[in-house]
């Protein structure tokens, strides 16, 4: 049977794996499923239609699965899914989805969500991401894998963030962020995230190819951005990581206000 502190309130309809540990002053609602190996330290709220995978740790005062902060929400049974082996630190909030946003918020696996981070409704967060203190994800954000976002960053709704991106502290993100880059201030792409790529096992050839793209598009710009972007031939032996970045940027340019997902809202 799960180990549940007598100072916690767990609805009898909640489904908890046999080895779940629930510390004092926690609340678990009736429509919550908690997988094996989860630990709720204290003062944790798991609510809504929420499914938690294996091996997560929930630190004090986090609230997971609550209603979305959306005035159009009228109580529909929208959902939250959390993967495996995540560290959900103090005062983190993760909200369920909305009907018009697909109905589900997802958090992947092996992520670190630091103190007071907010994951808004309908967000799709990938795997192995570091989301630092006081980071704010508005609704409908899509964030790829292996992304590092430093403290105090605000991410506008409907923004997409590519894999292996690094976003500096207190940056203001209004536009889609391509994979592999370092970003600061207001959407300013400063360099390739070369350190992060090397740590992830990228080879020198891949890093050199991506460095050349960054120089052409963002650093030593000799032509208009759209002209340089159009010159990449995606059919003839292009580096696959370069192709991924170029395809992301071309898709971004078809969006609204620098956000591809924004163009889908009327559909």
């Amino acid at each position: 049977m799960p180990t549940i502190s007598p100072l916690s309130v767990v609805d009898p309809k909640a489904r908890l794996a046999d080895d779940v540990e629930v510390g004092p002053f926690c609340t678990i609602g009736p429509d919550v499923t908690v997988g094996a190996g989860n630990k709720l330290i204290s003062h944790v709220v798991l609510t809504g239609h929420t499914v938690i995978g294996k091996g997560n740790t929930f630190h004090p005062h986090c609230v997971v699965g609550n209603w979305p902060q959306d005035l159009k929400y009228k109580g529909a049974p929208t959902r939250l899914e959390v993967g495996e082996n995540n560290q959900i630190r103090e005062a983190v909030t993760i909200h369920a989805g909305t009907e018009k946003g697909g109905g589900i918020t997802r958090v992947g696996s092996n992520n670190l969500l630091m103190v007071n981070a907010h994951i808004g409704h309908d967000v799709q967060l990938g795997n192995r991401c570091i989301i630092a203190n006081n980071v704010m994800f508005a609704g409908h954000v899509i964030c790829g894998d292996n992304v590092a976002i430093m403290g105090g960053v605000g991410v506008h709704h409907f923004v997409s963030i590519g894999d292996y991106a690094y976003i500096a502290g207190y940056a203001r993100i209004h536009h889609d962020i391509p994979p592999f880059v370092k970003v600061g201030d207001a959407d300013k792409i400063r360099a390739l995230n070369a350190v992060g790529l090397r740590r992830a096992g990228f080879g020198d050839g891949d890093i050199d190819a991506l460095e050349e793209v960054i120089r052409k598009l963002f650093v030593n710009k000799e032509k208009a951005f759209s002209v340089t972007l159009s010159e990449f031939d995606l059919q003839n032996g292009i580096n696959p990581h370069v192709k991924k970045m170029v395809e992301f940027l071309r898709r971004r340019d078809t969006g609204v206000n620098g956000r591809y997902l924004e163009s889908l809202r009327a559909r």
Side-chain angles (χ1 to χ4, degrees):
M1 295 292 292
T3 302
I4 301 174
S5 168
L7 299 176
S8 287
V9 177
V10 178
D11 193 284
K13 294 181 181 178
R15 295 166 294 281
L16 277 62
D18 289 344
D19 61 349
V20 170
E21 299 178 28
V22 181
F25 306 108
C26 297
T27 302
I28 301 179
D31 298 306
V32 174
T33 299
V34 184
N38 281 277
K39 182 175 182 178
L40 285 64
I41 294 175
S42 72
H43 299 85
V44 173
V45 175
L46 303 182
T47 186
H49 294 262
T50 297
V51 177
I52 307 292
K54 299 177 181 179
N56 302 283
T57 301
F58 297 88
H59 291 254
H61 303 290
C62 62
V63 179
V64 176
N66 206 3
W67 297 344
Q69 294 178 139
D70 187 326
L71 294 174
K72 298 183 294 298
Y73 179 74
K74 304 301 180 185
T78 55
R79 302 176 59 206
L80 166 67
E81 291 182 359
V82 176
E84 300 182 355
N85 303 315
N86 296 289
Q87 287 284 333
I88 313 295
R89 295 304 304 256
E90 297 85 349
V92 167
T93 51
I94 309 174
H95 288 172
T98 61
E99 290 179 277
K100 291 188 176 181
I104 185 166
T105 302
R106 292 185 178 90
V107 173
S109 298
N110 300 296
N111 298 295
L112 170 59
L113 277 63
M114 296 188 193
V115 173
N116 206 44
H118 172 66
I119 306 299
H121 59 81
D122 305 295
V123 166
Q124 311 294 307
L125 176 64
N127 305 301
R128 300 176 300 280
C129 295
I130 298 173
I131 310 299
N133 298 349
N134 302 308
V135 169
M136 298 171 288
F137 276 22
H140 311 281
V141 169
I142 294 180
C143 181
D145 297 334
N146 302 288
V147 172
I149 304 181
M150 302 298 102
V153 170
V155 183
H156 196 280
H157 58 263
F158 290 101
V159 159
S160 298
I161 302 172
D163 297 343
Y164 295 98
Y166 175 97
I167 301 178
Y170 290 94
R172 304 176 302 284
I173 305 303
H174 310 88
H175 303 157
D176 292 349
I177 302 300
F180 314 124
V181 299
K182 294 177 71 174
V183 181
D185 301 325
D187 305 300
K188 184 174 179 60
I189 295 174
R190 297 191 172 278
L192 184 71
N193 182 20
V195 172
L197 296 181
R198 287 194 177 92
R199 287 174 177 170
F202 281 63
D204 290 340
D206 291 330
I207 291 174
D208 290 344
L210 288 166
E211 287 274 21
E212 183 178 359
V213 176
I214 295 298
R215 284 194 297 269
K216 286 182 177 179
L217 288 173
F218 303 108
V219 181
N220 300 322
K221 296 183 288 186
E222 298 179 354
K223 303 176 184 177
F225 177 85
S226 59
V227 173
T228 303
L229 190 63
S230 69
E231 292 176 346
F232 287 95
D233 182 358
L234 301 185
Q235 304 302 319
N236 295 308
I238 192 171
N239 180 283
H241 304 299
V242 171
K243 181 178 181 180
K244 181 176 181 177
M245 180 185 287
V246 171
E247 287 177 337
F248 185 101
L249 290 167
R250 289 180 178 175
R251 188 186 74 160
R252 183 182 74 175
D253 284 357
T254 67
V256 176
N257 301 318
R259 300 182 290 273
Y260 170 71
L261 295 174
E262 194 90 48
S263 66
L264 306 181
R265 293 182 71 178
R267 300 182 187 178

